[in-house]
Amino acid sequence: MNTADLGLPVDVPSTALFTDQYEFTMVQAALRAGTAGRRSVFEVFTRRLPEGRRYGVVAGTGRVLDAVENFRFDAGVLGFLRERGIVDEPTLEWLASYRFRGDIQGYPEGEVYFPGSPLLRVEGTFAECVLLETVILSILNHDSAIAAAASRMSAAAGGRRLIEMGARRTHELAAVASARAAYVGGFDSTSDLAAGFRYSIPTVGTSAHAFTLLHDSERDAFRAQVDSLGRSTTLLVDTYDVAEAVRTAVEIAGPGLGAVRIDSGDLLLVAHRVRQQLDELGARDTRITVTSDLDEYAIASLAAAPVDAYGVGTQLVTGSGHPTCSMVYKLVARARSGESGAPLEPVAKKSLGAKSSLGGRKWAARRLDADGVAEAEIVGLGAVPPELAGRQLLVELVRGGEIVGREPLDAARQRHIEARAGLPMSAIQLSRGEPVLPTEYV
């Protein structure tokens, strides 16, 4: 089913205006100067990880491919550009037939990355590549930030289930992207139905405090929920008195009650008390889910608690304090002339401070130690050393304008599990530290 046909705000017919105006004015000037068709190479990378983070997570690649495919200029979009006087008529004529016909390589979704990693390489004419800058960065910066937070929470959870519950804490479209990125980073399900519809992510949800408050008593509310959803449902037990609610829940649902949810209080203490009470009532298989402004640190603090699942909202969809990855999209090489077959030459920004970049079309590989654990991210120009040939990180995503790198979301999720497991053990420590792998340039 094509969700765009349903008019739902989870797909858009064109991504052409998800960009900054200067991308268009650069194209206009380049067309006039005769340089728009010069072969160019752009790369996405970040100069640093968010403070204290030890690795990054690539997420949003699949959405980038959708955005590139849908970067089209229909009559309405062209009319807007003409009416605002953003570009001239020759540029509008060029845009009317725009299709990205270049190549894109990149780190596959779910892979980890480090400062300087060439996460995405976009090759084609200057004009067709530069137009994609903003939308690519918008997707990768957001989704990778969410996935990195999700990965840290997943590591802290130690195998316990994680539920993404942040839809009400962010923009409605960002909520869908956040649920997708969280799934890549290790979450098991989402409360957001649009994300479930769009990306087939498992969805969960039962009731809020309002449902309990609606009824004349907590017993009436629990009875209504069990009658409707069955004994395997999750009952929210902290609206009034937790101990009394647990007792009532087991009386109504029996020892086969699926789960109880705790959303307030001292979660460590309350979880222990609820577990003891459930066991005493014979509900030994009833699970405990905790929510309430959790982040990776709160999850880690509950490692010794008898908790079976965590529901995370605000901190997840805001990147747990780091809502962007500071990725940039830079021209690193361009043809010496506009002639077909002209050789590429490196170009780079030279500036004071920390905003300079390294020119040249790069490859990346990960070197392993004798035990098969990653020990360095290697970024280089020219030929790849034979010993690293089998460890290259970039894969083909777009060839000649055709998408060749689409994959199921579960493949990205599994890749992240494997990539994180291949890092040194210190990667999953929550204490502040430097990137767990150094980036070496050769």
Side-chain angles (χ1 to χ4, degrees), residues 153-162 186 188 299 307-310 420:
M153 294 174 189
S154 173
R160 295 172 177 177
R161 298 188 67 80
L162 289 162
D188 300 285
I299 291 171
V307 172
D308 299 285
Y310 305 94
R420 190 178 67 190

Side-chain angles (χ1 to χ4, degrees), residues 316-390:
L316 177 60
V317 299
T318 57
S320 195
H322 297 288
T324 181
C325 300
S326 299
M327 293 177 186
V328 294
Y329 183 98
K330 296 297 181 184
L331 181 67
V332 297
R334 48 93 168 153
R336 192 168 297 167
S337 70
E339 296 181 4
S340 177
L344 287 172
E345 57 184 16
V347 295
K349 176 182 178 180
K350 304 295 183 184
S351 67
L352 299 175
K355 297 192 71 173
S356 60
S357 57
L358 179 66
R361 184 181 186 274
K362 303 172 195 68
W363 51 264
R366 191 160 297 148
R367 190 175 69 231
L368 309 182
D369 65 16
D371 296 318
V373 178
E375 65 177 9
E377 194 89 338
I378 312 298
V379 176
L381 302 169
V384 181
E387 65 273 17
L388 294 176

Side-chain angles (χ1 to χ4, degrees), residues 237-294:
V237 295
D238 72 329
T239 305
Y240 305 117
D241 179 84
V242 173
E244 181 60 30
V246 170
R247 187 177 302 109
T248 301
V250 176
E251 285 179 8
I252 290 173
L257 173 63
V260 295
R261 178 162 75 96
I262 308 165
D263 187 53
S264 59
D266 183 335
L267 296 179
L268 179 61
L269 175 63
V270 175
H272 276 288
R273 288 177 174 174
V274 168
R275 180 74 272 158
Q276 180 179 353
Q277 185 180 10
L278 287 169
D279 291 346
E280 290 172 351
L281 293 171
R284 296 183 177 277
D285 294 328
T286 298
R287 300 177 303 278
I288 297 176
T289 296
V290 297
T291 53
S292 185
D293 294 327
L294 299 178

Side-chain angles (χ1 to χ4, degrees), residues 23-24 27-28 31 36-37 71 73 78 88-101 125-131:
E23 315 291 9
F24 290 97
V27 168
Q28 176 177 306
L31 287 169
F71 208 94
F73 294 85
L78 293 170
D88 58 19
E89 285 300 322
T91 305
L92 289 169
E93 292 177 12
W94 184 86
L95 292 173
S97 59
Y98 177 88
R99 297 290 185 276
F100 179 75
R101 296 182 173 86
T125 67
F126 173 83
E128 67 179 334
C129 294
V130 78
L131 282 178

Side-chain angles (χ1 to χ4, degrees), residues 172-190:
E172 66 271 20
L173 298 186
V176 180
S178 295
R180 182 187 184 281
Y183 190 68
V184 170
F187 272 59
D188 300 285
S189 57
T190 179

